[in-house]
Amino acid sequence: MSAYRVAQVTEPGGSFELVERDVPQPGPGHVRIAVEACGVCHSDAMFVNAGVPGVSFPVVPGHEIAGRIEELGDGVADRGWQVGDRVAVGWFGGSCGHCRSCRQGDFIVCERLKVPGWAYDGGFGEKVVAPADALARIPDGLDASDAGPMACAGVTTYNGLRRSSARPGDLVAVLGLGGLGHLGVQYAAAMGFETVGIARGPEKAEFAERLGAHHYVDSTSGTPVAEALQSLGGAKVVLATAGNSAAITATVDGLAPRGELVAIGADLEPLGISPVQLLMSARVVRGHPSGTSQDVEDTMAFSALHGIRPMTEKVPLDRAGEAYQKMMNGKARFRMVLTNS
């Protein structure tokens, strides 16, 4: 049987090693994908470090996968998929189909959500086997190295905005201009929102403007972020992409009446929000998970239509450990992507 390579970690917090495995056959309802690109997401650290229950080693992370179908399992052809189709698989790597959330059609909060790199081997390899319900069709004109990050970073920001209460013309602020935020600003501007970028340092103003922001707020300027937002009329929505609870908390009083804080940046520290901050102006705070395979497909279609792309640094699979460390050290600008020639 032929072999393929994966970058794996054999113990919690361990180093990556490149190993060969026998090529697997996809079971019923599954496909085997020849991986062309896979983004490196900060959430991969949860699996590498065994930070969530049920992680088994060796771990092959990666949930920003883009490639081509090379073999179909039984029953997949009946769903319209063919060998050679370009597909992406993201954080949503399949659902159980029978829990209460799935029966209500809310698949992204499935009780047994199948995240690649957790439920099964992820995209840090040359091939991956995934359930057919995880597949999103990549549109023409979108490169694999761009499509991969769209399956997690892209869909999370895009969905967070389109499912928010904001409407075209509303003031929408994006907190953070990193791997998530640099996409969030582009989406907000393309959706017709009056867009505010919020980050640390005056030197990022030009970058925010280049992404499409109409305003920039420097959180280190001495003027409180909330005050700066209120001077612009108050934000209908703050999309909090920065994984920093203190920075997220600082935006709350900048929300307009009935404004909405949408948290997508992860931090284990609690938010410092009092009920009074919410009650008097009827403000809303909610978390937003990623998105289903259909949401990923919608994200990629919207991105292709509006010329929105992630800013990536591409490295070959055999440098997976280097790419992962660069992401963990906060030096990625703005998405590390592993590629297979």
Side-chain angles (χ1 to χ4, degrees):
M1 180 177 288
S2 59
Y4 73 108
R5 301 181 305 161
V6 300
Q8 67 177 24
V9 173
T10 59
E11 61 183 6
S15 300
F16 280 87
E17 61 180 15
L18 207 62
V19 300
E20 287 193 349
R21 296 185 178 180
D22 291 336
V23 173
Q25 299 302 306
H30 288 65
V31 302
R32 189 175 70 239
I33 300 167
V35 178
E36 297 175 352
C38 184
V40 182
C41 179
H42 199 277
S43 299
D44 290 323
M46 295 193 300
F47 313 132
V48 170
N49 296 322
V52 290
V55 175
S56 59
F57 288 85
V59 162
V60 180
H63 55 268
E64 294 187 343
I65 305 163
R68 293 181 184 272
I69 296 175
E70 64 176 18
E71 187 165 351
L72 305 176
D74 290 343
V76 176
D78 297 338
R79 305 186 193 183
W81 297 106
Q82 300 178 15
V83 170
D85 284 348
R86 301 178 68 226
V87 294
V89 178
W91 179 264
F92 179 84
S95 58
C96 74
H98 56 77
C99 70
R100 184 179 184 88
S101 294
C102 286
R103 291 174 67 189
Q104 293 175 336
D106 199 358
F107 301 105
I108 191 59
V109 289
C110 169
E111 294 174 7
R112 302 170 186 85
L113 188 67
K114 301 171 185 176
V115 181
W118 187 6
Y120 54 87
D121 286 347
F124 283 25
E126 294 172 331
K127 302 180 189 299
V128 66
V129 173
D133 66 326
L135 303 178
R137 198 175 299 275
I138 300 174
D140 293 339
L142 199 64
D143 291 340
S145 59
D146 292 328
M150 295 289 183
C152 180
V155 69
T156 302
T157 50
Y158 175 76
N159 245 11
L161 289 168
R162 75 164 172 169
R163 300 191 185 283
S164 75
S165 58
R167 295 296 177 263
D170 285 341
L171 189 76
V172 170
V174 178
L175 173 65
L177 296 178
L180 292 170
H182 88 285
L183 286 168
V185 170
Q186 293 180 74
Y187 288 131
M191 290 176 182
F193 303 139
E194 184 180 352
T195 305
V196 185
I198 307 172
R200 295 177 57 84
E203 69 280 359
K204 295 180 182 176
E206 187 275 333
F207 178 56
E209 181 180 356
R210 183 152 50 92
L211 293 172
H214 304 95
H215 311 278
Y216 177 70
V217 173
D218 172 12
S219 62
T220 67
S221 69
T223 300
V225 170
E227 184 178 322
L229 290 176
Q230 288 296 346
S231 72
L232 295 170
K236 180 66 175 178
V237 167
V238 170
L239 182 72
T241 73
N244 183 307
S245 292
I248 295 172
T249 299
T251 69
V252 173
D253 285 334
L255 291 169
R258 300 196 181 278
E260 182 179 17
L261 171 63
V262 181
I264 62 175
D267 189 358
L268 295 177
E269 293 299 316
L271 296 174
I273 301 172
S274 73
V276 172
Q277 288 176 280
L278 305 179
L279 288 169
M280 300 305 292
S281 295
R283 292 166 175 150
V284 174
V285 179
R286 68 178 178 88
H288 175 75
S290 179
T292 65
S293 53
Q294 182 60 58
D295 293 324
V296 173
E297 204 161 299
D298 293 347
T299 301
M300 292 190 293
F302 185 88
S303 301
L305 182 65
H306 291 275
I308 296 171
R309 300 290 187 274
M311 295 181 181
T312 61
E313 181 179 344
K314 297 181 280 290
V315 298
L317 176 64
D318 57 14
R319 292 169 56 192
E322 176 187 332
Y324 176 80
Q325 286 303 322
K326 190 168 185 177
M327 176 276 299
M328 291 297 293
N329 293 336
K331 296 181 179 179
R333 293 292 180 269
F334 285 93
R335 216 67 178 172
M336 302 302 298
V337 177
L338 304 179
T339 60
N340 292 307
S341 57

